[in-house]
């Protein structure tokens, strides 16, 4: 099974790109899973933080020069490496600003590609097939480079691997319609050549992807006729010289007529591949799709239509797919699970002989199919009968007694009272199998209850709706009116549950919840049941902020005063922005509700327009609470105990920035916000000073991480660590 989640735009493509050229050379991993290096087909190299959709740094060659292969990150030194004008190596760091002043070395031959390895030197692949490690090349940039390839033989694709701490480079070439494969080892220096043949006139490989497992490289080739072939490349071939490499047909894409020109393939986890630029159905013939296929069973698992046309470019990194289409580079998170034949065909592993529509019943079957036989190409599925254990039989019997189809449940709850609805759904909700059918059934029931609640003002099964939300199987997309109904009924407990368990709440609904929470009076929440986890140790309104400061000394970090003139009796020169007399501006229950908003997921660009709907008084109240929350979180040890669902300091700071961006002009003109803005000014200044002090000990902390952990001796020991 595989899923494609909602994607987002990382960046736009360069203006002036053609239909055949997206304007990107490639995407390479950055310092961690949340950073990528994007190399343009012109002069630019940009590092992006994917989760923020923002560039962290960008470098460009001067006019008339070009970056000719994707830039990579040197895993050992933390430096970026790129090639300019095919022969000039460029190496730089994050702090380097001017690309023209960074290190450069001119080589004796043109470079095809640079490949980075996590714990080894990058490999440099030259256009004529020679391979060098970067450090050896930098020692003598003008060293002679041999020509491995014959005349008119061109490199089409390459990839690198690390086996037993030794680097390997695999690359494919093409000459006169014939395709070859080379495997280069560096220790010892051995080159293996394979002939993978051709598939007829006009049919050629247009996409490659490879994985290394159990000392064998699995190469998958996507051909222009829609066929995907698998080739196995041994790391220790027995024969010498050029060898013929057999290939087996893995799957055939539904290409009805014509050939593919711009398509790409990428290996994913658990027997899945992603393909872009190929149709997923013979009926549509539309190639502007990104699809995930199960290679074991040749089934389509997920697909996503891409607007504007694709360019046949696809990259995979850290559970995300990167694809160019139209005028943007889109990131699509994905998830793959180990597949069985039953899951691929959309069936339960054990079903009764009668057809059950949306049934949750599981009955005892006299025989079990051996699903593992199909992938190994056995002539027929073998049936095996087995004895069930007593515990398994008891489990099946108990499930059968609670089994009720969704259709039957929907019929039973039609027109009955709220109490009767609870009685009908109690057995259904008590049986919680993890299956797509159960999740879909819950969504159907929730939608029907919402429709009836909206049509009949006197019908509102609050406890049943709360139980449905607490299952964690619902989402805003499956029942869109769920959360808005809770706000309409002033059911703040249900709204809180939705914020906790719904993973896809849109930004307008999040802002509607925030506005409702800020508008409700604390007195109106007295009789409301609210989950207080994460705020139970916080102070209520009117109580001063007191507690253990946990080694945090804001006075030392904020010695100078704010530039804004304040009234001396209210805030003297010696006080800090973390004044111990600061009180929580809202009650505990409202704090719990606001905390759910702070911890919700959102996109800044979509959230900001809706935040402007808040009134000035609501913004000031929320900012006061965020200030209080941050002071308490940074200074009080009790709020950092594990297990509490409390906002992180980063989340708090992000919301402060969002509110100031959306309402800064209003706040500047509001007299009651003057003192709050002054405190926030010192608040930010203290943060700058804090991180400045932390930066001074960065080197020490890095040295600590390099120290090998000594073996633990006994139940108690004292270890002395010498830093210098």
């Amino acid at each position: 099974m595989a899923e494609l989640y909602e994607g987002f735009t990382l960046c736009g493509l360069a203006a002036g790109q053609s239909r055949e050229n997206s304007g990107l050379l490639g995407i390479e991993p950055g310092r961690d899973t949340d950073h990528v290096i994007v190399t343009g087909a012109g002069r630019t190299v940009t590092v992006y933080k994917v989760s923020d959709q923002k560039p962290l740094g960008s470098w460009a060659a001067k006019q008339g020069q070009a970056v000719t292969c994707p830039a990579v990150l040197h895993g050992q030194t933390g430096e970026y490496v790129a090639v300019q004008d095919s022969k000039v190596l460029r190496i730089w760091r994050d702090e380097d600003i001017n690309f023209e002043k960074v290190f450069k070395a001119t080589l004796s031959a043109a470079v095809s590609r640079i490949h980075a390895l996590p714990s080894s030197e990058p490999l440099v692949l030259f256009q004529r097939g020679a391979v060098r490690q970067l450090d050896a090349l930098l020692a003598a940039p003008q060293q002679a480079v041999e020509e491995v390839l014959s005349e008119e033989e061109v490199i089409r694709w390459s990839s690198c691997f690390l086996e037993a701490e030794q680097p390997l480079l695999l690359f494919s070439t093409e000459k006169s319609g014939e395709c070859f494969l080379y495997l280069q080892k560096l220790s010892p220096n051995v080159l293996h050549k394979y002939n993978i043949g051709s598939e007829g006139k006009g049919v050629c490989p247009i996409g490659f992807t490879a994985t290394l497992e159990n000392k064998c490289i699995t190469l998958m080739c996507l051909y222009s006729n829609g066929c995907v072939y698998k080739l196995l490349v041994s790391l220790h071939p027995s024969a010498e010289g050029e060898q013929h490499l057999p290939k087996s047909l893995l799957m055939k894409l539904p290409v009805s007529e014509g050939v593919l020109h711009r398509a790409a393939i990428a290996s994913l986890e658990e027997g899945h591949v992603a393909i872009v630029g190929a149709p997923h159905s013979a009926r549509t013939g539309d190639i502007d799709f990104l699809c995930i296929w199960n290679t074991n069973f040749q089934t389509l698992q997920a697909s996503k239509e891409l607007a504007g046309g694709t360019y046949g470019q696809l990259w995979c990194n850290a559970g995300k797919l990167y694809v160019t289409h139209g005028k943007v580079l889109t990131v699509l998170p994905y998830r793959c699970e180990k597949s069985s034949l039953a899951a691929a065909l959309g069936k339960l592993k054990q079903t009764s002989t009668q057809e059950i529509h949306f049934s949750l019943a599981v009955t005892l079957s006299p025989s079990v199919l051996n699903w593992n036989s199909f992938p190994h190409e056995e002539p027929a599925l073998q049936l095996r009968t087995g004895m069930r254990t007593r515990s398994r039989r008891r489990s099946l019997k108990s499930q059968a007694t609670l089994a009720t189809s969704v259709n039957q449940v929907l019929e039973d709850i039609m027109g009955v009272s709220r109490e009767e609805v609870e009685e009908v759904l109690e057995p259904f909700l008590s049986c919680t199998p993890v299956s797509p059918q159960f999740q879909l059934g819950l969504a159907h029931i929730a939608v029907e209850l919402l429709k009836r609640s909206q049509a009949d003002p006197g019908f509102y099964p609050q406890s049943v709706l709360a139980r449905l939300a607490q299952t964690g199987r619902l989402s805003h997309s499956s029942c869109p009116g769920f959360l808005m109904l809770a706000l309409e009924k002033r059911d703040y407990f249900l709204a809180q549950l939705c914020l906790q368990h719904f993973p896809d709440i849109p930004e307008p609904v999040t802002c509607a919840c925030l506005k409702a929470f800020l508008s409700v009076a604390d007195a109106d929440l007295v009789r409301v049941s609210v989950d207080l986890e994460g705020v139970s140790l916080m102070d209520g309104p009117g109580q001063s902020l007191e507690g253990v400061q946990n080694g945090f000394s804001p006075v030392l970090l904020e010695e100078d005063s704010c530039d804004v003139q304040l009234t001396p009796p209210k805030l003297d020169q010696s006080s800090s922005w973390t004044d111990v007399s600061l009180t929580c501006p809202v009650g505990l229950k409202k704090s719990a509700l606001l905390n759910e908003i702070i911890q919700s997921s959102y996109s800044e660009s979509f959230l900001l327009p809706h935040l402007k709907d808040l009134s000035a008084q609501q913004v000031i109240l929320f900012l006061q609470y965020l200030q209080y929350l941050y002071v308490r979180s940074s200074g009080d040890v009790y709020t950092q105990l594990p297990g509490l669902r409390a906002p992180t300091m980063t989340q708090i700071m992000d919301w402060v920035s969002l509110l100031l961006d959306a309402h800064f002009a209003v706040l500047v003109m509001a007299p009651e916000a003057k003192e709050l803005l002054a405190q926030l000014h010192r608040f930010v200044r203290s943060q700058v000073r804090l991180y400045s002090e932390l930066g001074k000990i960065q080197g020490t902390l890095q040295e600590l991480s390099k120290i090998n952990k000594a073996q633990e001796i006994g139940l108690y020991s004292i270890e002395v660590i010498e830093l210098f």
Side-chain angles (χ1 to χ4, degrees), residues 434-445:
V434 181
S435 67
Q437 287 78 10
F438 180 76
Q439 184 171 353
L440 189 58
L442 285 178
H444 281 209
I445 293 172

Side-chain angles (χ1 to χ4, degrees), residues 57 71 91 127 181 248 281 359 443 533 543 546 622:
I91 303 176
Q127 291 183 3
L181 199 65
S248 58
S281 172
S359 177
E533 183 182 6
Q543 297 179 351
E546 297 175 355
F622 197 21

Side-chain angles (χ1 to χ4, degrees), residues 564-618:
V564 180
Q565 185 68 32
L566 297 177
T567 306
K570 291 185 178 180
L571 190 64
D572 57 24
Q573 188 74 13
S574 63
S575 64
S576 165
W577 64 269
T578 55
D579 188 357
V580 294
S581 64
L582 187 66
T583 59
C584 182
V586 297
L588 286 179
K589 293 186 177 181
K590 185 180 286 191
S591 297
L593 297 175
L594 293 176
N595 284 356
E596 300 299 341
I597 296 291
I598 299 171
Q599 297 175 87
S600 63
S601 58
Y602 59 86
S603 172
E604 291 185 9
S605 57
F606 293 112
L607 186 64
L608 273 174
H610 300 284
L611 282 179
K612 295 180 180 180
D613 294 337
L614 298 177
S615 66
Q617 294 301 324
Q618 290 172 336

Side-chain angles (χ1 to χ4, degrees), residues 39 127 151 373 437 439 468 503 532 576 580 663 679 681:
T39 305
Q127 291 183 3
E151 279 190 47
S373 60
Q437 287 78 10
Q439 184 171 353
L468 289 172
L532 296 178
S576 165
V580 294
H663 290 273
Q679 291 174 351
H681 183 194

Side-chain angles (χ1 to χ4, degrees), residues 1-5 272 292 301-302 321 332-337:
M1 297 295 290
E3 291 182 82
L4 273 174
Y5 298 105
H272 293 82
I292 296 182
Q301 299 290 299
L321 293 172
L332 294 108
Y334 71 91
R335 179 174 64 91
C336 295
E337 295 179 353

Side-chain angles (χ1 to χ4, degrees), residues 133-152:
Q133 287 189 314
L134 181 62
D135 56 351
L137 198 58
L138 292 177
Q142 287 295 314
Q143 61 183 273
V145 177
E146 68 275 11
E147 291 195 7
V148 176
L149 307 182
S150 60
E151 279 190 47
E152 299 181 0

